[in-house]
Amino acid sequence: TNLNNAVAQGELVIPDTYNGYTVIGIDGLTRDLDMSGGQTYHTGVTSVKIPSTVKYIGDYAFYGMSNLQSVTYAGQNNIEEIGYFAFGNCTSLTNFEVGSKVSFIGEAAFSGCDNLTSFNLQSGNSDYLCNDGVLFTKDGLALTAFPAGRGGLFIVPNSVKLIAAGAFYDNDKLTSVNLNQADSASDYAFADCTNLSEITAPNLQSVGIGAFENTHWLNNASDKFVSLGSVLIKYQGDDKVLRLSDYSSISAFAFADC
């Protein structure tokens, strides 16, 4: 259906039934194709109300709704899964409550939400915890999502061993991070953090694809061997023979520019 027809004065109310079927998921709301084949985003949406029948928010469901300010629920919040980039680039979103039943949050689900400075978590969630507005797995071993509206220096708690995929993706306010005891950073964990100029990671042992891609730190690195912890992130020399025994792992595309 055309989303524009469902928006009244900026509010999008998701129905609990559609054509006789119970609505249990939200997907494909974000974009319409225009006559040229391009995509247009529904910037007229300022608030969304979700019924208690919905359990899944799909990948890119609300992506690019730059004027979306609030997400509320008609009845109980029964969301179980939030997909990849589900709220990506919702730049006006200032607050988001993760429900008690959420058991999966996809990569970069809230990336580019420049005014989102903290998450809230409903009590009773058995899979996640929220500490100072940051989302972690319940055991505290993985950092799941960092609010894109928070900047400056962030010190990862001592308990964290893993930075999840896309956890800090596209945060242009973060300038310095200390990974502390974390030994792994997943795919695109800090990618497109364009103002991240200082990274301390003494215990890092492995990184995923593009974990530090397009950060100020990597873009301006001048060393021949660019590394963090025991990981070779990038080689930018011209040696014909290399000694790499000092590294526990080598990042994907570390030699891409050779």
Side-chain angles (χ1 to χ4, degrees):
T1 184
N2 189 327
L3 183 59
N4 292 322
N5 296 333
V7 178
Q9 296 181 344
E11 182 180 35
L12 171 63
V13 178
I14 306 297
D16 55 9
T17 60
Y18 184 74
N19 285 347
Y21 295 94
T22 300
V23 175
I24 62 170
I26 302 171
D27 197 10
L29 295 180
T30 301
R31 301 172 292 274
D32 281 339
L33 291 178
D34 59 29
M35 294 301 292
S36 65
Q39 296 178 343
T40 58
Y41 294 92
H42 297 289
T43 56
V45 177
T46 58
S47 65
V48 171
K49 182 175 287 186
I50 299 174
S52 59
T53 57
V54 172
K55 296 181 179 181
Y56 312 103
I57 297 176
D59 299 346
Y60 294 91
F62 299 102
Y63 184 92
M65 293 188 180
S66 58
N67 289 308
L68 177 62
Q69 300 171 23
S70 65
V71 179
T72 58
Y73 301 88
Q76 187 173 353
N77 178 353
N78 287 322
I79 302 299
E80 297 176 5
E81 296 185 7
I82 301 172
Y84 302 111
F85 292 90
F87 293 92
N89 285 350
C90 290
T91 54
S92 297
L93 192 64
T94 57
N95 182 61
F96 188 87
E97 182 178 69
V98 177
S100 62
K101 297 182 180 180
V102 172
S103 60
F104 174 80
I105 299 174
E107 179 180 333
F110 300 92
S111 64
C113 294
D114 292 342
N115 286 294
L116 182 65
T117 56
S118 67
F119 293 100
N120 294 322
L121 182 68
Q122 277 188 344
S123 61
N125 189 293
S126 59
D127 292 281
Y128 295 101
L129 64 84
C130 190
N131 181 5
D132 192 27
V134 182
L135 289 175
F136 304 86
T137 53
K138 193 70 171 183
D139 57 13
L141 294 178
L143 192 158
T144 303
F146 185 83
R150 183 180 299 186
L153 165 67
F154 180 71
I155 300 174
V156 174
N158 283 327
S159 66
V160 173
K161 298 297 184 183
L162 170 70
I163 309 299
F168 291 82
Y169 182 86
D170 197 22
N171 183 320
D172 61 5
K173 295 179 172 61
L174 189 69
T175 58
S176 178
V177 66
N178 185 335
L179 298 191
N180 218 329
Q181 301 299 312
D183 56 26
S184 181
S186 300
D187 294 353
Y188 306 106
F190 294 92
D192 287 345
C193 292
T194 53
N195 290 307
L196 179 58
S197 59
E198 183 178 4
I199 303 172
T200 304
N203 294 290
L204 197 64
Q205 298 178 24
S206 65
V207 300
I209 294 173
F212 300 97
E213 178 180 287
N214 200 32
T215 59
H216 183 278
W217 171 81
L218 186 56
N219 290 344
N220 291 275
S222 58
D223 292 341
K224 181 187 295 186
F225 294 91
V226 182
S227 64
L228 287 170
S230 60
V231 182
L232 177 62
I233 304 296
K234 185 178 182 180
Y235 174 74
Q236 44 193 11
D238 56 5
D239 296 311
K240 295 182 179 180
V241 178
L242 298 176
R243 179 180 179 273
L244 301 174
S245 58
D246 292 339
Y247 304 104
S248 63
S249 64
I250 298 172
S251 174
F253 307 111
F255 299 98
D257 295 334
C258 293

